[in-house]
Amino acid sequence: MPLDQSFVGRTYPPTAPYQVGREKIREFATAIGAADLAYHDPEAARALGHPDVVAPPTFPIVLTMAASRQIIDDPAIGVDYSRVVHGDQRFAYTRPVVAGDELVCANTIEAISSRGGHDFLTTRTDVTTVAGEPVVAVWSKLVVRGEA
Amino acid sequence: MELPTKTFRVTRADLVQYAGASGDFNPIHWSDRFATGVGLPGVIAHGMFTMALVGRAVSEWAGAPDAVVDYGVRFTRPVVVPDDDDGTEVEVTAKVKDTTEEGLTRLDIIATCRGEKVLSQARAVIRTPR
């Protein structure tokens, strides 16, 4: 059954704050082979004007993927996660994520469509500091494959 | 202007490490049994791992770790990673589309694996390198 388009515009309560740790940024940067010192060394990051190590551009997926469980697990929408594949991904930055940030994610369902037996669910996650300062807006399009 | 091609080797060990660092433990990224069971040719890289490697290329071209202002991709084809020492390779290149007066540069990116595009609509906006 196609996803119900009346859920477009649905918003979710902000997630619990995520404390961005210096070691988590280092671990992520190491896993993707990103060797720039500003990802690893607070002094190098400070030299660029940041308070602590900087996260690589796709780091926010660590938070937003966990936050998206709100939508995927929402029984009203009824996404079959075993049929989900990742379609599109986008990050639009106000400023880079840095160690020490305390971030919350606010999810919105931005679009739902169906084509060729597949459903397409576009979510926007506004990532802000606990004080409400915008950091990065993150869009994910999930494809829920139809039953063949 | 075309930017110099960057090549990234991807092995199973990289996928395991990325799974741990990102928290994405979907078994299609580490179990052949599971991957083939859902119709894939074998274990595939996390789309977000490919996106992260391309993000590295973009940051390196920009010459700054914090230069990316906007970055988006569509995942069109899986990066299949064989269970051997060589793994596979992802090649990344990009063209400068334009540079704005606000100091931003837009890039159109191409990422391929075994000669086939694995991303489409891959675009980044970076602070223009000085």
Side-chain angles (χ1 to χ4, degrees):
Chain A
M1 203 171 70
L3 293 179
D4 184 345
Q5 303 206 353
S6 71
F7 289 113
V8 173
R10 189 179 180 98
T11 58
Y12 292 81
T15 54
Y18 178 98
Q19 174 91 45
V20 179
R22 188 186 287 166
E23 299 302 342
K24 188 67 193 177
I25 288 180
R26 286 175 173 155
E27 180 191 7
F28 188 88
T30 301
I32 66 168
D36 193 292
L37 280 179
Y39 301 134
H40 299 274
D41 176 5
E43 285 308 318
R46 282 180 201 121
L48 295 175
H50 301 293
D52 206 318
V53 295
V54 183
T58 63
F59 177 83
I61 199 72
V62 173
L63 293 64
T64 60
M65 201 176 75
S68 71
R69 298 305 307 196
Q70 267 185 331
I71 298 169
I72 297 198
D73 296 341
D74 183 342
I77 297 176
V79 172
D80 177 357
Y81 192 62
S82 71
R83 314 192 75 84
V84 167
V85 291
H86 201 168
D88 296 31
Q89 185 66 38
R90 181 180 164 213
F91 302 88
Y93 276 94
T94 304
R95 67 153 172 88
V97 171
V98 293
D101 277 337
E102 267 196 85
L103 302 176
V104 296
C105 298
N107 285 317
T108 304
I109 295 180
E110 209 168 75
I112 294 175
S113 62
S114 297
R115 186 159 30 88
H118 307 300
D119 288 321
F120 300 86
L121 174 70
T122 304
T123 62
R124 190 184 77 238
T125 307
D126 292 302
V127 181
T128 64
T129 65
V130 286
E133 175 209 351
V135 177
V136 56
V138 181
W139 288 264
S140 297
K141 185 190 262 186
L142 302 179
V143 183
V144 188
R145 290 177 297 150
E147 317 219 3
Chain B
M1 184 176 72
E2 191 127 359
L3 295 167
T5 300
K6 292 182 182 286
T7 304
F8 300 95
R9 182 157 297 285
V10 180
T11 67
R12 288 287 177 92
D14 295 322
L15 302 188
V16 172
Q17 191 173 4
Y18 183 77
S22 69
D24 183 347
F25 295 101
N26 189 327
I28 61 174
H29 306 304
W30 51 267
S31 166
D32 274 312
R33 174 177 52 83
F34 191 92
T36 54
V38 296
L40 292 165
V43 161
I44 63 168
H46 306 72
M48 287 309 302
F49 183 62
T50 304
M51 189 175 184
L53 296 179
V54 174
R56 251 180 77 189
V58 170
S59 300
E60 287 169 20
W61 284 320
D66 54 357
V68 174
V69 175
D70 198 310
Y71 175 31
V73 305
R74 170 164 296 173
F75 304 104
T76 49
R77 201 176 266 117
V79 172
V80 179
V81 181
D83 183 13
D84 58 30
D85 293 341
D86 293 336
T88 193
E89 279 183 348
V90 174
E91 274 199 2
V92 187
T93 184
K95 275 193 184 128
V96 173
K97 200 169 168 209
D98 55 28
T99 296
T100 71
E101 288 176 8
E102 293 81 44
L104 298 174
T105 293
R106 289 196 293 172
L107 304 179
D108 283 340
I109 304 159
I110 295 172
T112 60
C113 179
R114 296 172 186 273
E116 295 196 295
K117 282 189 190 180
V118 294
L119 303 177
S120 69
Q121 300 179 35
R123 299 184 185 110
V125 179
I126 58 173
R127 283 187 287 105
T128 303
R130 288 167 212 250

